[in-house]
Amino acid sequence: MYNVLALSFGEIFLKGKNRGSFEQKLAEQIKFALKDFKNIRVFKDQGKIFVETQRKEDMDDIIEKVKKVFGIVLISPSIKIEKDVETIKENVKELFEYITSKKEIKTFKIHTKRSDKSFPIKSMDFSAMIGGEILKNFDNIKVDVHNPDLEIYIDIKSKCYISSEKIKTVGGLPIGTNGKALLLLSGGIDSPVAGYMIAKRGVEVDALYFHTYPFTSERANEKVKKLAELIGEYCGKIKLYSINILEIHKAIKENCKEEETTILARRFMMRIAEKIAKENDIDMLITGESLGQVASQTMKSMAVIENAIDIPILKPLVGLDKTEIIEISRNIGTYETSILPYDDCCSVFAPKHPLTKPKIERIKKSEENLNIEELVNKAYFTMEII
């Protein structure tokens, strides 16, 4: 029945003179999301983006892909036709018959939007004309302008687009319109959600994963790669940096108090992340910290960890509780992978009684027992890019 998808923008409408660049980024993201489909055309028609396919059997799968593209708020499966009055009448009747064959419809309403003002019939008059055509050809049906069972939308641009359904999507802004950030991606529930939430604001995301192989398993590495792929369904392809910090943990264990392990290791992670960011024109870091969730996420711990670097850190989950984070994780499809029982580097070397109220002077004193620059560089040279 349908041969195009009409895509409605969200915040892009607020971008004034910059709107064109946002639309261009959105079109690029749509094309990337649909790269595996054949005979796809993405085009603009008077303020709206459309996706056209010659293979109607692909339409449901195309909708599922487009629903994950940030910058779109509604998808309307539509019939694209010439804006000829008789052609429109016939196609509206066919659509009406198709829908009433699937469910009972007693009332309806026709909406016409005439973006092309050269079309000779005004919107309200055209809605009344098409409504009359429906009443003439279908029995036991009447117009209800307030609460109809079925609404049919006729959008007249350079072509005419007829639709009856509006599918809600993720909203947000197109990827690549708001800078670039590096996500510290663990194998847990929180960090994939944090990456998703920042990407939704138009931020291009790369990811950094720390491991302590062979103390962490290859399956733990594969789990993180899978999480990066799942987030990539929303963000586009993610460059995943993988770094072994085993030597750092060994040095901390040999030279510092056990209770400081988590704080000291997190400060090393931040330093390595900052180094990658500065060398790759990345503006900020992203972490999945939620205030009070674990020892390294108390207010004092977060302050001491951040003190190790200068680059800003985005923490979109800081005010959410675990239930809220899990709900988002389920919605975006990362939860089932996140709960696979493979240890990450933090849990393998976690102290029995971690500090929850660290003091920066004491932590810096402990770091005097470590060759920070040498350990950071050694870890950096283990980097793999996936």
Side-chain angles (χ1 to χ4, degrees), residues 67 72-75 166-171:
K67 281 168 72 175
I72 301 166
V73 294
L74 291 171
I75 299 173
K166 294 183 182 297
I167 302 168
K168 287 187 179 179
T169 65
V170 291

Side-chain angles (χ1 to χ4, degrees), residues 280-344:
N280 292 277
D281 198 24
I282 294 173
D283 304 298
M284 297 186 183
L285 306 183
I286 308 168
T287 64
E289 291 163 311
S290 169
L291 187 58
Q293 190 180 113
V294 294
S296 65
Q297 296 175 18
T298 65
M299 199 170 286
K300 290 187 183 302
S301 294
M302 286 195 283
V304 170
I305 292 167
E306 284 185 38
N307 177 271
I309 58 172
D310 297 322
I311 190 172
I313 305 174
L314 296 167
K315 301 175 180 176
L317 311 187
V318 73
L320 300 183
D321 62 34
K322 197 68 178 182
T323 304
E324 294 170 307
I325 297 168
I326 288 174
E327 182 179 354
I328 299 171
S329 178
R330 290 185 188 279
N331 289 339
I332 64 175
T334 56
Y335 180 75
E336 294 301 328
T337 301
S338 289
I339 62 172
L340 292 173
Y342 308 134
D343 287 331
D344 60 30

Side-chain angles (χ1 to χ4, degrees), residues 92-316:
V92 171
K93 284 190 290 186
E94 285 182 19
L95 177 60
F96 198 91
E97 187 171 9
Y98 172 75
I99 294 171
T100 53
S101 70
K102 293 181 173 295
K103 61 181 179 180
E104 184 180 15
I105 302 294
K106 293 182 177 179
T107 59
F108 75 100
K109 180 180 180 180
I110 301 292
H111 302 262
T112 301
K113 182 179 180 182
R114 192 176 55 121
S115 301
D116 178 4
K117 301 303 180 187
S118 67
F119 189 74
I121 306 172
K122 292 184 177 178
S123 297
M124 290 187 64
D125 294 339
F126 197 64
S127 293
M129 176 192 295
I130 299 298
E133 198 70 19
I134 295 295
L135 292 170
K136 188 169 68 179
N137 287 277
F138 295 87
D139 298 327
N140 302 318
I141 193 83
K142 62 181 181 181
V143 173
D144 183 345
V145 297
H146 300 294
N147 189 29
D149 297 331
L150 173 63
E151 295 177 83
I152 290 181
Y153 302 89
I154 303 171
D155 193 0
I156 300 174
K157 297 178 180 294
S158 66
K159 302 289 183 180
C160 177
Y161 305 90
I162 302 169
S163 63
S164 65
E165 184 182 7
K166 294 183 182 297
I167 302 168
K168 287 187 179 179
T169 65
V170 291
L173 292 169
I175 294 293
T177 58
N178 226 351
K180 187 174 182 180
L182 182 65
L183 169 67
L184 274 66
L185 181 64
S186 71
I189 296 170
D190 301 342
S191 56
V193 174
Y196 165 86
M197 291 180 69
I198 294 301
K200 186 176 179 180
R201 300 310 303 158
V203 177
E204 184 180 352
V205 173
D206 283 343
L208 169 59
Y209 165 58
F210 293 106
H211 64 88
T212 52
Y213 187 83
F215 286 86
T216 50
S217 67
E218 186 58 37
R219 289 191 297 181
N221 294 352
E222 292 301 319
K223 174 183 171 182
V224 173
K225 291 177 190 174
K226 180 63 178 176
L227 287 171
E229 289 175 9
L230 291 170
I231 307 170
E233 293 181 10
Y234 299 89
C235 310
K237 183 170 175 55
I238 291 178
K239 181 187 286 186
L240 177 61
Y241 299 89
S242 173
I243 288 186
N244 190 328
I245 56 170
L246 178 58
E247 294 304 316
I248 289 174
H249 272 288
K250 285 181 177 177
I252 292 172
K253 184 177 178 62
E254 290 170 4
N255 298 288
C256 304
K257 295 177 180 176
E258 183 194 13
E259 61 187 12
E260 297 174 342
T261 299
T262 302
I263 300 297
L264 290 168
R266 293 284 293 174
R267 283 169 62 86
F268 271 100
M269 292 179 189
M270 293 299 156
R271 290 184 178 105
I272 295 168
E274 181 181 54
K275 183 177 175 67
I276 292 172
K278 287 182 175 178
E279 292 182 0
N280 292 277
D281 198 24
I282 294 173
D283 304 298
M284 297 186 183
L285 306 183
I286 308 168
T287 64
E289 291 163 311
S290 169
L291 187 58
Q293 190 180 113
V294 294
S296 65
Q297 296 175 18
T298 65
M299 199 170 286
K300 290 187 183 302
S301 294
M302 286 195 283
V304 170
I305 292 167
E306 284 185 38
N307 177 271
I309 58 172
D310 297 322
I311 190 172
I313 305 174
L314 296 167
K315 301 175 180 176

Side-chain angles (χ1 to χ4, degrees), residues 17 85 259:
K17 293 180 180 177
V85 173
E259 61 187 12

Side-chain angles (χ1 to χ4, degrees), residues 23-76:
E23 291 180 356
Q24 180 61 37
K25 285 289 185 185
L26 178 58
E28 291 172 5
Q29 289 296 314
I30 295 167
K31 290 176 183 175
F32 181 80
L34 301 178
K35 63 183 185 305
D36 295 330
F37 293 88
K38 295 179 179 178
N39 300 317
I40 291 287
R41 187 167 80 97
V42 178
F43 64 96
K44 289 173 62 177
D45 189 353
Q46 298 186 2
K48 189 172 279 189
I49 290 180
F50 295 84
V51 176
E52 185 171 23
T53 177
Q54 303 299 317
R55 292 168 51 87
K56 294 180 183 179
E57 64 270 27
D58 289 342
M59 189 58 85
D60 288 345
D61 292 333
I62 292 171
I63 289 172
E64 289 305 309
K65 290 287 186 182
V66 175
K67 281 168 72 175
K68 294 180 178 179
V69 176
F70 295 130
I72 301 166
V73 294
L74 291 171
I75 299 173
S76 300

